[in-house]
Amino acid sequence: MAAEWSVLLLTCQRGGCVSAFQRELEARRLRGGLGPRPPPLLLAVEDPWAHLGSGGATLNALLVAAEHLSARAGCTVVTSDVLRDARILILHMGRDFSFDDCGRAFTCLPVEEPGALAEALVCNLDSLLETMTHRLCVGSPPGVWVCSTDMLLTVPSAPGINWDGFQGVRVIAVPGSPAYARNHGVYLTDEQGLVRNIIYKGTEAQIQQCAGPDGTVPLVCGVVFFSSDAAEQLLATHVIPPLDACTYMGLDSGAPPIQLSLFFDIVLCMAGGMTEEEFLKGSGDASVRSARSVLWTALRAFPLSMACIPDASYDYMTTSASDHIRSLTLLPGSASHLHFCKTAHSHVDQPSLLEDGSSVTNCLLEGAVQLAAGSVIQHCHLQGPLEIGPGCLLSGLSAGSSPALRGCPLRDVVLQGHHVRLRDLPCRVFTLTGRLDDWQSPAEEATYLNMPWAEFFRRTGIREGDLWDAEMPRRSRCLLSARLFPVLHACEALGLEDVLWLLAPAAAAGERLARWRAAWRMSWQELLPCLDKAAELGARRALFFLQGQRKVRRVLLGRQDSSLLPLARSAVHEGYHEAVLGTLDEVASTVGDAGIAARALACIAEVLGCMARGEGGLRSGPAANREWASAFGRLESGDIAGGVRELATEREKWMSSPVLLVRAARHYEGAEQILVRQAVMSSCQFVTVGQAELPPLGHWVQVACPARLDLSGGWSDTPPITYEHGGAVVDVAVLVDGCRPIGARVRRIGEPELRLVSLGGTPRGEVAVELVCGELEHLQDYCQPHAPGALLKAAFICTQVVQFPSQKPLRAQLTESFGGGFEVHTWSKLPHGSGLGTSSILAGAVMAALYRAAGKAASTESLIHAVLHLEQRLTTGGGWQDQVGGLVPGIKIGRSKARLPLRVEVEEIPVPNGFTQTLNDHLLLVYTGKTRLARNLLQDVVRNWYARLPSAVQNADALVSNAEECAQALRQGNLPLVGKCLERYWQQKKCMAPGCEPLAVGRIMDALRPYVYGQCLAGAGGGGFLYVLTKAPRQKEALHQILAKTEGLGNFSIHSIEVDTGGFSVEVVGCDPKDGAQPGDDAAV
């Protein structure tokens, strides 16, 4: 559940870079940070006056929202009717913040969100948006929510606010201690939860009066909700003087400025314990008294209720450096949706040097950078060796600052770099303060750099007259107004050292002091209006993507299971895609590892896909355009670096439209598949071929194979998952309706050509397809899976019966090596797309027969790896489970380790006596009548794996562990537990390849569920055969009757299966009778 906003407004101070904040809102919309249905209207609104106050900012924002909604509704004037069904969220940025140039709203939190669609820094604004949208405001009626951004707010996922029959205005409170309330506001309420008064910095007795039974008091936390009726009445006051002065319309009309508080001028007038006289008397200013009178008349009738959220917490962001550091280094409460981490969105060369209790956010720390507990670094690029002691806050420092920091004792200090604009002159200014310093206390009673001012003057030689004008009253002389910080120098460039000397003035003190005095200096008070928030946000963005590029290298080179897709999306949204593409090009071209390079190319495809922004067509599609052929050729030849460079050159021609971007992404996936093939072909070293007697000319070598059922673990055998993660699959070789349904036979013939025949279901079946290949060029489409005879052509090439490519013609090759050609017949009784492993098992059958017919011998292990090789050459890109299932007899588990070369090891699973027959009695096949297309499923799975989507990584772990559990259940002969593994496996398949359960299949499974321990679609899913493990034995007829009564199933059929404990057979038989052989010759030799 989430609140769906009509308008989201962010108010900022006058001169506060409203365009920069508008950009930030739009960036959040693009990256999905505003929920699945972002507000139609996102508005950054500048206060019309300085010091407008939260009340004036609220009224102005409400007017802006109403005006925009009125325009969208086709109105020519502002009408309050548009508020009737609107849901409006107003967020106030409030005053400047000592520790973040962009204010409290954009203060970054040490948080990473692995599940986010796009990777980005998490600011307090994002935390509050999440809290308001997904927690606090869920279920509320139409109206206007107003929220301050000057606090860290934590709310449980179910705040438990009752909105039944709600009217008026509601304030949100959080429970706090009376001690904390002494410096804050609390609500005094009656038994019905209606607010009687708001007490700010009250006496102990006043605060205690507000306490509940548990001793806590309801703290004012800066959140208010106005019902539509109340919002309409508030909006109506914007035309009444002096409240008109709160809005931009008042500014444009020449009204004098006025300052209003949201809580003490607007909300308080509705408090039940407040009289009109007390309310009006509460302000000494005549214009504010007049404004209060208007507000009393407009709003007094509305009930003001309070909702205090149990287990919520509120932490006001004070001007105390100690408080700020504490808030960034302590974990938030358990109710929070945030998970603080020591390093967030940062690249740290030596993370072991960061002590627990420290915090690093949006940083690049190169070399040895030591950080003590209780210290924070944000938005810094530092180069070690550096040592930062406890109690420090460092922010906004670039790599050029690092030399000045070396050897400088940093402890309990706040060191910040600022982007400042003096009219049209941009410059960098550094400020240095102590953790314990107070900004506004008179110098006589306060400290600077944690020492009394008098001691600071003595140590540095600086005089009061250097910092404050002589006419400034002594009580006004404070850190806020002290001209401490050098901005410009007539002759020299200023740097960090021009403030760091204040920490250790002994060395060259006179020279430094003179340089400091000669510089034009400003106080923090003077610097605040000059802070360039747009430049600061831009610098943070640039640093974020600089560390992001390091992350790309770290993840790829370290083979980490972290997803780079969220970073790619952000790079595209923020205009940093070229930098990320360059880094990916660099990694792919220099790594020298086909597996890592393939993943880098897949990441480039993702960036290009993101750049298309959902347009340009489907990501899956052809990838054989001739413009890319040269780059592909380099990759095929093993020149990865050259191939990647050519790909990048070609890519530049395809960046101008979504259609071209999607086509380019497809070609990058095609290039990635070339490298995957090369990685998988490392398995060829496990193919050993010996010599065998060459069968006589015309004698058939016939191979018959069972089908396979995958009971658990499928998809974990698929490249690249199988060699990057490791795989485990439990397979069973099965007879279907009593026979081995897949087979091939090969014989040598006198004519030096290849005859390729596909038969209709049996060795004696009708000819479905027949091809004759007499030239090498007839084989060149062997790598196009849908080309006629492609699998058989690939088999001749992979077994090296035929050398391709070659200068020697095909006929010459066949004559010299074998004295003639070959004829191959293949058949399968199973329908296309059955899910029973037909194509891979058929490839194994053909290769086994072909090896034998050519006078060679290959073991079963060799055939398993040979089929892997063949399917990569064929470009179907399959895994190893099918051939393991069909070529190895009985029940077994195949495994591959997370490494290259790819090697498959098979272990027979011993089962209790009689359990094999039990399986035969309880296993059934249901043909769903739906054919599946595994290739598109495969492309999606590989794409998700290369993107390292968290769901794909977790699912790969679960597939392997479920396979091991299934193997153990089979060893125990535990039929119900095997069924549980099947059920879990089907859920895992659906997670890996969403969309693999057609509606008709779902109906079949629903109908059978009461009668089975478990059921699963065979293979990749999407159609084909469903296998079921029935609770009762021999249920073929019973299940048929159940399904016959179920509507909407179409052409289903049920088949018996039994475990094939014998495995595939290879026989050399005589010539066919029609070829002149005697009937008796058709027997095993």
Side-chain angles (χ1 to χ4, degrees):
M1 288 282 291
E4 293 187 9
W5 305 113
S6 312
V7 194
L8 191 155
L9 302 100
L10 179 67
T11 73
C12 62
Q13 295 183 72
R14 184 164 177 78
C17 292
V18 67
S19 59
F21 297 135
Q22 182 68 42
R23 186 192 188 285
E24 290 297 312
L25 291 179
E26 295 295 343
R28 280 157 177 77
R29 186 213 301 269
L30 281 173
R31 65 180 182 238
L34 301 178
R37 294 187 178 177
L41 285 169
L42 285 179
L43 302 169
V45 180
E46 188 176 60
D47 291 347
W49 310 100
H51 312 298
L52 182 65
S54 56
T58 299
L59 184 55
N60 184 59
L62 182 58
L63 171 61
V64 171
E67 187 175 2
H68 279 78
L69 288 171
S70 297
R72 288 176 73 93
C75 303
T76 56
V77 295
V78 176
T79 171
S80 61
D81 292 346
V82 294
L83 300 180
R84 179 60 41 196
D85 297 314
R87 298 174 188 271
I88 298 171
L89 174 60
I90 299 171
L91 295 154
H92 290 314
M93 285 189 61
R95 290 166 290 190
D96 294 308
F97 188 41
S98 314
F99 310 114
D100 197 294
D101 289 359
C102 300
R104 292 171 172 87
F106 289 96
T107 296
C108 284
L109 305 177
V111 171
E112 291 188 353
E113 297 180 309
L117 284 174
E119 190 167 324
L121 298 174
V122 177
C123 304
N124 188 36
L125 173 69
D126 302 299
S127 172
L128 289 169
L129 278 170
E130 171 73 19
T131 295
M132 299 297 287
T133 303
H134 296 280
R135 295 177 178 230
L136 201 52
C137 308
V138 174
S140 65
V144 178
W145 282 90
V146 184
C147 178
S148 167
T149 61
D150 61 4
M151 78 290 195
L152 299 171
L153 182 63
T154 295
V155 172
S157 56
I161 303 175
N162 183 5
W163 294 102
D164 292 344
F166 172 77
Q167 291 181 313
V169 177
R170 176 165 285 169
V171 292
I172 303 299
V174 301
S177 68
Y180 188 84
R182 284 179 203 142
N183 292 311
H184 296 276
V186 291
Y187 293 113
L188 176 65
T189 60
D190 62 18
E191 295 80 3
Q192 284 75 43
L194 295 175
V195 176
R196 302 281 302 159
N197 201 354
I198 304 174
I199 297 166
Y200 182 65
K201 291 187 176 180
T203 64
E204 191 171 337
Q206 287 175 313
I207 292 170
Q208 201 56 48
Q209 194 181 0
C210 304
D214 61 356
T216 64
V217 293
L219 297 172
V220 176
C221 73
V223 182
V224 187
F225 175 70
F226 294 85
S227 67
S228 297
D229 290 336
E232 284 187 47
Q233 286 297 312
L234 179 59
L235 176 64
T237 67
H238 87 272
V239 295
I240 305 173
L243 287 170
D244 60 340
C246 293
T247 70
Y248 82 93
M249 286 187 175
L251 172 68
D252 293 349
S253 304
I258 183 174
Q259 184 174 6
L260 279 187
S261 160
L262 172 62
F263 285 92
F264 294 105
D265 291 319
I266 295 179
V267 173
L268 187 61
C269 74
M270 294 172 278
M274 184 63 56
T275 66
E276 184 174 8
E277 183 182 358
E278 286 177 309
F279 181 61
L280 298 182
K281 195 169 61 177
S283 174
D285 186 273
S287 61
V288 174
R289 275 201 303 276
S290 176
R292 284 189 167 196
S293 177
V294 174
L295 290 167
W296 181 275
T297 303
L299 300 175
R300 178 60 185 174
F302 290 104
L304 177 64
S305 58
M306 181 195 74
C308 190
I309 313 299
D311 299 320
S313 66
Y314 156 86
D315 195 0
Y316 179 72
M317 299 170 75
T318 70
T319 55
S320 159
S322 297
D323 288 350
H324 187 59
I325 292 170
R326 176 188 53 78
S327 70
L328 296 177
T329 52
L330 288 179
L331 296 176
S334 59
S336 176
H337 56 277
L338 299 174
H339 302 284
F340 278 21
C341 45
K342 189 194 296 184
T343 55
H345 303 295
S346 298
H347 174 82
V348 181
D349 276 353
Q350 299 185 35
S352 61
L353 297 181
L354 308 181
E355 292 184 9
D356 290 342
S358 63
S359 173
V360 177
T361 303
N362 194 36
C363 288
L364 191 53
L365 305 185
E366 300 173 315
V369 178
Q370 194 163 338
L371 185 64
S375 283
V376 174
I377 309 181
Q378 294 196 328
H379 317 302
C380 290
H381 182 179
L382 301 177
Q383 296 169 331
L386 294 175
E387 187 172 344
I388 297 152
C392 292
L393 170 64
L394 274 62
S395 177
L397 305 181
S398 63
S401 304
S402 298
L405 287 168
R406 288 186 193 124
C408 184
L410 293 183
R411 185 186 184 97
D412 292 325
V413 294
V414 177
L415 183 57
Q416 297 172 277
H418 309 275
H419 292 268
V420 170
R421 182 169 288 274
L422 306 171
R423 295 202 174 174
D424 293 327
L425 177 67
C427 57
R428 293 278 283 153
V429 176
F430 299 94
T431 59
L432 175 68
T433 56
R435 178 175 65 85
L436 303 176
D437 297 345
D438 185 280
W439 286 99
Q440 293 181 293
S441 294
E444 296 167 346
E445 306 164 9
T447 62
Y448 177 56
L449 297 178
N450 309 311
M451 68 183 84
W453 279 98
E455 184 181 341
F456 170 74
F457 292 144
R458 182 182 57 78
R459 291 181 59 184
T460 60
I462 292 174
R463 297 187 294 266
E464 279 196 59
D466 293 323
L467 303 179
W468 299 287
D469 295 335
E471 59 270 20
M472 180 177 281
R474 297 201 66 79
R475 298 297 293 175
S476 299
R477 297 181 183 187
C478 60
L479 176 54
L480 190 65
S481 60
R483 293 195 184 100
L484 276 162
F485 310 118
V487 177
L488 293 173
H489 193 283
C491 307
E492 303 177 59
L494 297 172
L496 187 59
E497 60 274 11
D498 291 294
V499 294
L500 282 177
W501 77 276
L502 300 172
L503 283 173
E511 181 185 333
R512 283 292 178 192
L513 177 59
R515 177 181 163 98
W516 180 86
R517 281 198 172 120
W520 178 44
R521 304 182 311 280
M522 295 174 74
S523 67
W524 181 238
Q525 195 170 39
E526 292 166 331
L527 279 170
L528 277 172
C530 304
L531 295 176
D532 190 339
K533 297 176 174 63
E536 176 61 29
L537 290 167
R540 292 179 186 182
R541 207 159 36 241
L543 183 56
F544 174 80
F545 286 107
L546 187 60
Q547 67 80 28
Q549 288 169 259
R550 297 296 182 91
K551 176 181 178 176
V552 168
R553 292 191 190 95
R554 185 173 71 245
V555 167
L556 294 178
L557 298 177
R559 294 183 169 87
Q560 296 176 9
D561 284 338
S562 300
S563 178
L564 294 175
L565 180 56
L567 181 64
R569 289 194 184 107
S570 279
V572 170
H573 297 328
E574 302 279 8
Y576 281 83
H577 50 275
E578 289 292 351
V580 173
L581 287 171
T583 301
L584 291 167
D585 287 336
E586 179 201 340
V587 171
S589 61
T590 59
V591 68
D593 179 293
I596 293 174
R599 185 178 173 190
L601 295 184
C603 290
I604 292 174
E606 290 290 5
V607 175
L608 297 174
C610 290
M611 289 173 67
R613 299 183 187 273
E615 300 177 11
L618 296 172
R619 279 288 303 278
S620 298
N625 188 290
R626 282 176 295 186
E627 300 296 322
W628 299 82
S630 175
F632 280 20
R634 282 188 177 272
L635 295 177
E636 293 277 13
S637 69
D639 180 9
I640 295 177
V644 171
R645 283 194 297 271
E646 281 202 31
L647 286 170
T649 302
E650 183 61 31
R651 181 178 75 216
E652 291 304 311
K653 307 171 191 174
W654 297 67
M655 306 281 274
S656 59
S657 73
V659 170
L660 291 176
L661 284 164
V662 168
R663 290 168 64 193
R666 292 172 183 168
H667 282 83
Y668 263 93
E669 288 187 342
E672 150 227 308
Q673 282 303 313
I674 293 171
L675 299 184
V676 170
R677 286 202 292 277
Q678 291 177 353
V680 173
M681 285 183 195
S682 64
S683 64
C684 288
Q685 62 188 269
F686 305 115
V687 178
T688 54
V689 180
Q691 292 300 311
E693 183 183 351
L694 190 68
L697 195 71
H699 281 230
W700 291 104
V701 176
Q702 185 163 304
V703 175
C705 294
R708 71 95 186 88
L709 287 186
D710 55 317
L711 299 188
S712 286
W715 285 123
S716 73
D717 66 305
T718 303
I721 301 171
T722 191
Y723 61 76
E724 291 185 350
H725 175 275
V729 183
V730 174
D731 272 323
V732 184
V734 293
L735 306 178
V736 180
D737 292 332
C739 71
R740 293 176 180 151
I742 303 161
R745 59 180 183 170
V746 180
R747 66 174 176 178
R748 287 191 299 120
I749 55 177
E751 190 68 26
E753 63 187 18
L754 306 178
R755 296 178 192 163
L756 313 179
V757 180
S758 175
L759 302 172
T762 69
R764 305 291 179 204
E766 295 180 7
V767 174
V769 179
E770 184 168 3
L771 291 174
V772 177
C773 302
E775 310 291 340
L776 279 178
E777 66 184 36
H778 296 157
L779 302 180
Q780 66 186 7
D781 60 355
Y782 77 93
C783 57
Q784 298 172 24
H786 299 296
L791 186 148
L792 304 184
K793 295 173 185 178
F796 275 101
I797 294 167
C798 292
T799 55
Q800 298 184 336
V801 170
V802 173
Q803 301 299 318
F804 182 91
S806 173
Q807 297 297 316
K808 187 177 290 187
L810 176 61
R811 292 179 184 276
Q813 289 188 42
L814 293 172
T815 301
E816 289 179 20
S817 299
F818 303 105
F822 290 88
E823 183 174 351
V824 182
H825 292 188
T826 62
W827 62 89
S828 170
K829 291 185 176 181
L830 303 172
H832 176 69
S834 67
L836 298 181
T838 307
S839 58
S840 298
I841 296 169
L842 184 60
V846 171
M847 295 180 90
L850 200 49
Y851 276 131
R852 186 67 187 86
K856 301 177 182 181
S859 66
T860 301
E861 182 187 8
S862 293
L863 285 173
I864 289 167
H865 293 92
V867 172
L868 263 176
H869 175 216
L870 178 144
E871 292 193 326
Q872 292 305 315
R873 297 291 292 269
L874 190 61
T875 71
T876 51
W880 45 256
Q881 62 144 315
D882 296 347
Q883 58 265 38
V884 167
L887 300 179
V888 179
I891 308 168
K892 59 270 172 181
I893 181 169
R895 299 184 182 92
S896 62
K897 293 178 180 172
R899 67 185 184 204
L900 291 173
L902 172 57
R903 182 170 194 173
V904 183
E905 298 175 303
V906 184
E907 174 195 339
E908 179 189 350
I909 298 175
V911 297
N913 288 337
F915 187 68
T916 299
Q917 185 56 48
T918 301
L919 276 180
N920 294 342
D921 290 341
H922 288 263
L923 273 173
L924 285 172
L925 273 184
V926 180
Y927 183 60
T928 63
K930 299 284 181 183
T931 56
R932 59 152 185 83
L933 186 58
R935 183 157 177 76
N936 287 344
L937 290 176
L938 176 62
Q939 285 180 321
D940 290 342
V941 168
V942 171
R943 186 178 300 131
N944 291 342
W945 172 254
Y946 267 136
R948 289 304 194 275
L949 298 185
S951 59
V953 175
Q954 293 160 11
N955 204 38
D957 292 340
L959 283 164
V960 171
S961 62
N962 191 54
E964 297 293 350
E965 189 173 331
C966 183
Q968 188 59 28
L970 289 163
R971 291 186 194 101
Q972 297 168 357
N974 188 332
L975 215 56
L977 187 53
V978 172
K980 280 185 183 176
C981 292
L982 297 188
E983 287 292 313
R984 198 179 303 133
Y985 182 33
W986 179 233
Q987 298 309 314
Q988 291 163 352
K989 282 188 181 183
K990 289 195 289 184
C991 176
M992 211 64 163
C996 67
E997 182 180 286
L999 286 173
V1001 172
R1003 290 193 194 102
I1004 292 175
M1005 297 179 95
D1006 288 343
L1008 297 182
R1009 190 159 284 114
Y1011 310 98
V1012 301
Y1013 286 125
Q1015 53 188 330
C1016 185
L1017 274 180
F1025 280 98
L1026 171 74
Y1027 59 91
V1028 299
L1029 188 66
T1030 61
K1031 293 177 179 176
R1034 297 176 291 280
Q1035 292 293 295
K1036 183 177 177 180
E1037 292 304 320
L1039 294 194
H1040 193 281
Q1041 291 176 18
I1042 291 165
L1043 294 182
K1045 297 173 184 175
T1046 306
E1047 293 182 4
L1049 298 190
N1051 185 27
F1052 76 90
S1053 56
I1054 300 183
H1055 305 264
S1056 62
I1057 47 175
E1058 55 188 284
V1059 178
D1060 184 354
T1061 55
F1064 76 102
S1065 61
V1066 181
E1067 296 178 301
V1068 179
V1069 296
C1071 303
D1072 283 341
K1074 65 182 179 182
D1075 294 330
Q1078 298 300 313
D1081 293 338
D1082 195 7
V1085 174

